[in-house]
Amino acid sequence: MFRNSLRRCTASARSAASASLISQTRTLPIASRRIASIPSSITPLNRIASIARAYSSEAPAAQEETSATARTTSPDETVKFTDLDGIHPNILRAITHELNYDEMTPVQAKTIQPALKGTDIVAQAKTGTGKTIAFLLPLLQRMINEDPSLANRGARRDAHSGDIRGIVLSPTRELAEQIAMEARRLVKNTGLVVQSAVGGTAKRQMLQRTRREGCHLLIATPGRLNDLLQDPTSGIDAPNLAALVLDEADRMLDVGFERELNEIIGLLPKQGEKVRQTVLVSATIPDTVIRLARTMVRANDFEFVQTIPENESLTHEKVPQRIVAVSSWSNVFPSLFELIDREHAKAAEDPSARPFKAIVYFNTTALVELAGEMGFERRRSRIEGRHLATYSIQSKLSQMQRQKAADMFRKGKEAVLFSSDVTARGMDFPDVTHVIQVDVPRDRESYIHRLGRTGRQGKEGEGWIIVPHSSISSARKMLKGLPLTQNNSLESADVDLASGGELTPAHQHTKNLFAVMPKQVLASTYTSMFGMVGGDKMNTVAEEVNDWAVHGWGWDAPPSVSRRWVSLMGLTRAKGMNISDVRRDARSHGRDRDNQGSRFDGQESGDAFDSMRNNIRRDDGGRGRDTRGGSGSRWGRNDRGGGNSGSRWDRDNRGGYGRRNGGEDGGLGSNMDNSFYVR
């Protein structure tokens, strides 16, 4: 019945829209005529899935019917913001004079005009296409339409925390702050007050500021907003809510915010009490997003806006991608720093090349922290050619520290950012020339979204992934079909340290860095490695990581762990484990005789397992820094809750390829051609 109702409403709306468009063509303002030329239809929810899949990153050619329904042909003429009808002059002045925007991007041209009509919007749009302005502009205008006094700056004096007119939800703290910064620039000449509420920041300070300054537009992460709305003492309320925006909806569902989103909807005014506009923006439209849209948008008054051209070459298809197979984890960091130094030097020597600017992605917070410490030491030591500015973003940092790192990297001409997946979607970092991924990410989509940080806005970029031997079979399975080329140019990738192989300059440099790293950082890194795999691969990874601790770090033995922890992790058959049920001095772990100690010093047996649980974060802060706890999702939450102690990656035992033969089913040998997937 619901589906039939949708179809009837759709047919009526489509006919009415067509008739209205024909009758008004001669009197529409120039921008409206241009935007009206872009085919757009009010599409039932059960059609969105098939339309969206036609534009997904790996879908086959769409059927003719689907292509016609979701046509995304660009207008013949460019559309300027000054041509828009219905935008208040104070907002328009901010766009053209403060932000210096003149022409709309295709995404803005397709989205703004339908949203200005007041209908609900479900839009498929990629990051880096101007979508933030596309949903902020109609949202701000709707708020002013409902209360014209908000267009004047004097309205700020009457603002209060219980009069929120618009809400924008974002999956990550960094993206929320980025949206808030853009919104504040847009409302500079109006009386609208913008506030942000994200996890990882002090809730009390946020509430004090909001009570003091008021709030009309709130940019928030789902966990923190849900907390504020359920807290009777917060003073946060939205009885006059005019519009709700969900940005990166697929990402919010990926990290487990579906329950919070449903609770938030239950706490907001019902549609029967106060009609509000809902805008849902998503880079992909899986079934989970369809289900979310059914609960949030008005089935009889919404429009699906497809902004991805049917024949557009996607980022992961046009960016050159290279895979480096290294023989063990002992060669990962030497290969990484060799690659960074080489690419940095190449850019510096070529006057026509863009400055080297890279994002390096790791799978755990502990690895990001270790890389950040090593990057800082490289710059502090001022070794020739290794003075490149480096920054890190990971969940142990405060929100202020993370925001500062993001801002400095964004403004930097040449720099390296070490990061977890928190920056893989939504965050805008201009002029990134390289994306380097260390080890296989949690899934194929994560690989693609990470890669999407480069090659943006028509600029060139390149992607690299460094894969240790224990992850080769998983890489082959997960990344099959992507245009990856094997690269054997790094001399650090194939050194056998366990057999006394000759150290490359990068190995010696990295070993010197490990010698001055805090023992706690290295011990945390060690335990985090066991949360990256599961099943039969655990013993293989354990042996590789134990070898890394001894031959890569220069320790006498790997960090000590209890017999109980080894049993719980299923490592009783792993070679090289340093099992000890008594307290040990940190200095017994390595040759560096400082007094910093190991993470496990002075702890009773079993504490190592708890330490691992606390430090494994697959994404933006598995445990978070909110004022309350929570069970967390499978991959962790960005602003509250706890993470899962282990990954459920499906890694098989098919062996390796490339530089090192071996594995239970054998490898491909060192003479493998450039096809990553040839067996």
Side-chain angles (χ1 to χ4, degrees):
M1 182 178 295
F2 178 66
R3 182 172 298 178
N4 291 334
S5 175
L6 281 179
R7 287 172 177 164
R8 287 195 299 271
C9 292
T10 300
S12 301
R14 189 177 289 125
S15 300
S18 300
S20 175
L21 189 61
I22 294 172
S23 64
Q24 296 181 24
T25 300
R26 295 182 180 276
T27 59
L28 281 172
I30 183 170
S32 300
R33 291 201 301 272
R34 291 171 181 169
I35 297 172
S37 68
I38 306 170
S40 182
S41 59
I42 300 178
T43 310
L45 284 167
N46 62 339
R47 294 282 296 131
I48 292 180
S50 60
I51 295 172
R53 290 189 187 107
Y55 296 85
S56 67
S57 60
E58 299 169 59
Q63 296 180 356
E64 184 176 350
E65 176 191 4
T66 299
S67 300
T69 307
R71 196 184 310 275
T72 57
T73 307
S74 299
D76 294 333
E77 301 177 80
T78 58
V79 183
K80 295 187 176 183
F81 283 101
T82 52
D83 293 333
L84 277 172
D85 183 43
I87 300 296
H88 196 280
N90 290 350
I91 296 179
L92 197 59
R93 187 165 71 252
I95 293 174
T96 57
H97 291 78
E98 307 294 337
L99 278 68
N100 295 317
Y101 293 155
D102 182 22
E103 297 176 353
M104 296 187 204
T105 67
V107 168
Q108 293 163 352
K110 292 181 176 74
T111 307
I112 291 176
Q113 197 68 20
L116 284 173
K117 294 186 299 184
T119 59
D120 286 357
I121 299 291
V122 178
Q124 184 171 12
K126 299 190 298 182
T127 59
T129 56
K131 65 182 176 67
T132 301
I133 294 292
F135 64 70
L136 279 179
L137 196 58
L139 182 153
L140 297 173
Q141 185 57 48
R142 182 177 177 88
M143 293 162 65
I144 290 177
N145 288 345
E146 292 199 358
D147 187 352
S149 68
L150 295 176
N152 303 314
R153 300 187 68 174
R156 295 172 185 260
R157 294 192 297 268
D158 300 323
H160 57 90
S161 62
D163 189 27
I164 296 172
R165 308 296 183 95
I167 293 174
V168 178
L169 286 172
S170 161
T172 68
R173 313 168 200 177
E174 285 74 17
L175 180 56
E177 294 290 359
Q178 183 174 295
I179 295 170
M181 181 173 62
E182 195 84 345
R184 291 186 181 102
R185 298 170 71 187
L186 285 173
V187 303
K188 182 177 181 180
N189 303 313
T190 73
L192 292 166
V193 179
V194 178
Q195 301 287 1
S196 60
V198 299
T201 58
K203 177 181 174 181
R204 178 183 297 180
Q205 293 179 6
M206 176 266 164
L207 288 175
Q208 289 175 343
R209 182 177 64 253
T210 304
R211 290 164 184 160
R212 182 175 64 252
E213 300 175 358
C215 178
H216 296 117
L217 174 59
L218 182 63
I219 318 294
T221 48
R224 178 53 61 91
L225 178 62
N226 193 35
D227 180 23
L228 293 172
L229 292 176
Q230 293 195 41
D231 183 354
T233 66
S234 70
I236 299 295
D237 200 6
N240 299 311
L241 186 66
L244 172 67
V245 176
L246 282 77
D247 189 23
E248 300 278 358
D250 51 351
R251 173 67 167 160
M252 278 191 269
L253 296 175
D254 283 347
V255 297
F257 277 129
E258 186 170 9
R259 178 177 62 83
E260 281 83 353
L261 292 174
N262 290 330
E263 290 179 359
I264 288 169
I265 294 301
L267 294 167
L268 295 176
K270 301 294 185 291
Q271 285 282 17
E273 302 170 4
K274 172 69 173 68
V275 177
R276 68 169 177 269
Q277 181 181 29
T278 300
V279 177
L280 190 153
V281 183
S282 187
T284 60
I285 311 286
D287 291 341
T288 52
V289 172
I290 300 294
R291 184 169 65 246
L292 181 67
R294 287 181 182 276
T295 65
M296 292 194 168
V297 304
R298 293 169 287 176
N300 61 344
D301 187 18
F302 87 96
E303 187 165 344
F304 176 58
V305 180
Q306 177 56 265
T307 71
I308 303 176
E310 185 175 0
N311 59 350
E312 178 174 301
S313 177
L314 296 163
T315 297
H316 71 272
E317 296 172 348
K318 64 185 179 182
V319 172
Q321 300 160 58
R322 300 171 179 87
I323 182 167
V324 177
V326 298
S327 58
S328 71
W329 265 97
S330 297
N331 294 331
V332 167
F333 276 88
S335 298
L336 172 63
F337 290 131
E338 180 186 344
L339 176 62
I340 289 174
D341 291 340
R342 186 186 72 185
E343 297 299 300
H344 180 212
K346 282 170 55 178
E349 293 168 1
D350 185 356
S352 63
R354 293 161 59 204
F356 176 75
K357 193 172 186 179
I359 302 179
V360 181
Y361 285 105
F362 294 91
N363 292 328
T364 70
T365 294
L367 281 168
V368 177
E369 184 179 19
L370 174 61
E373 292 279 355
M374 296 175 76
F376 173 79
E377 182 62 28
R378 276 162 55 90
R379 192 178 189 193
R380 188 194 66 80
S381 61
R382 295 291 181 181
I383 299 175
E384 184 178 357
R386 298 190 177 111
H387 57 276
L388 192 64
T390 60
Y391 309 97
S392 64
I393 294 180
Q394 40 91 0
S395 60
K396 283 188 177 181
L397 300 176
S398 68
Q399 178 62 23
M400 183 178 297
Q401 290 172 316
R402 293 164 64 166
Q403 190 62 48
K404 183 177 180 180
D407 291 342
M408 293 182 71
F409 178 71
R410 187 178 289 114
K411 296 174 183 177
K413 189 175 182 180
E414 55 177 21
V416 175
L417 175 67
F418 300 112
S419 178
S420 62
D421 277 333
V422 64
T423 63
R425 295 177 64 164
M427 297 292 289
D428 182 25
F429 295 112
D431 301 317
V432 173
T433 59
H434 292 67
V435 166
I436 305 171
Q437 305 188 44
V438 176
D439 203 1
V440 182
R442 65 183 183 183
D443 53 40
R444 186 183 181 92
E445 287 299 312
S446 294
Y447 173 87
I448 292 173
H449 284 298
R450 289 171 171 184
L451 185 67
R453 298 306 95 195
T454 189
R456 296 164 71 86
Q457 299 179 345
K459 297 180 181 179
E460 294 183 353
E462 55 187 275
W464 292 75
I465 181 168
I466 299 173
V467 183
H469 173 69
S470 55
S471 299
I472 293 300
S473 57
S474 297
R476 183 189 293 115
K477 181 190 301 183
M478 182 186 298
L479 306 179
K480 184 176 182 180
L482 294 174
L484 282 159
T485 301
Q486 187 175 355
N487 185 282
N488 299 322
S489 63
L490 299 178
E491 63 175 346
S492 303
D494 200 26
V495 177
D496 189 355
L497 298 182
S499 300
E502 183 178 354
L503 296 182
T504 67
H507 275 91
Q508 188 59 60
H509 167 63
T510 306
K511 199 166 187 177
N512 293 339
L513 292 174
F514 282 133
V516 296
M517 287 297 102
K519 291 294 193 301
Q520 180 178 348
V521 172
L522 289 172
S524 296
T525 301
Y526 178 82
T527 53
S528 77
M529 303 295 289
F530 296 99
M532 296 167 57
V533 293
D536 296 336
K537 276 296 184 71
M538 189 70 84
N539 288 331
T540 302
V541 171
E543 293 170 15
E544 197 168 301
V545 174
N546 289 336
D547 180 79
W548 182 30
V550 174
H551 298 102
W553 304 352
W555 285 25
D556 293 330
S560 62
V561 291
S562 72
R563 196 173 304 278
R564 176 174 176 268
W565 183 84
V566 170
S567 177
L568 287 171
M569 297 300 294
L571 295 171
T572 53
R573 293 188 297 171
K575 298 178 181 179
M577 301 301 297
N578 184 10
I579 301 174
S580 175
D581 290 327
V582 297
R583 297 184 179 185
R584 297 188 55 174
D585 191 289
R587 291 174 294 182
S588 65
H589 285 311
R591 300 183 179 93
D592 183 12
R593 301 287 178 171
D594 62 23
N595 58 4
Q596 297 187 61
S598 165
R599 183 177 185 83
F600 309 125
D601 293 344
Q603 297 182 358
E604 296 180 0
S605 63
D607 284 352
F609 181 72
D610 293 332
S611 297
M612 186 205 72
R613 184 187 299 275
N614 291 335
N615 283 284
I616 294 174
R617 298 177 178 84
R618 303 302 311 176
D619 202 342
D620 177 20
R623 287 179 57 82
R625 296 177 181 272
D626 203 342
T627 55
R628 57 195 180 120
S631 60
S633 71
R634 173 179 173 182
W635 298 111
R637 299 285 172 83
N638 76 313
D639 63 340
R640 59 179 283 243
N644 194 311
S645 63
S647 164
R648 296 187 178 90
W649 292 5
D650 179 21
R651 294 176 181 266
D652 61 20
N653 289 310
R654 301 293 296 275
Y657 81 99
R659 298 179 178 277
R660 177 173 171 177
N661 297 327
E664 293 182 13
D665 289 347
L668 294 176
S670 58
N671 295 321
M672 177 183 175
D673 65 16
N674 281 338
S675 175
F676 175 41
Y677 306 101
V678 175
R679 288 185 178 275

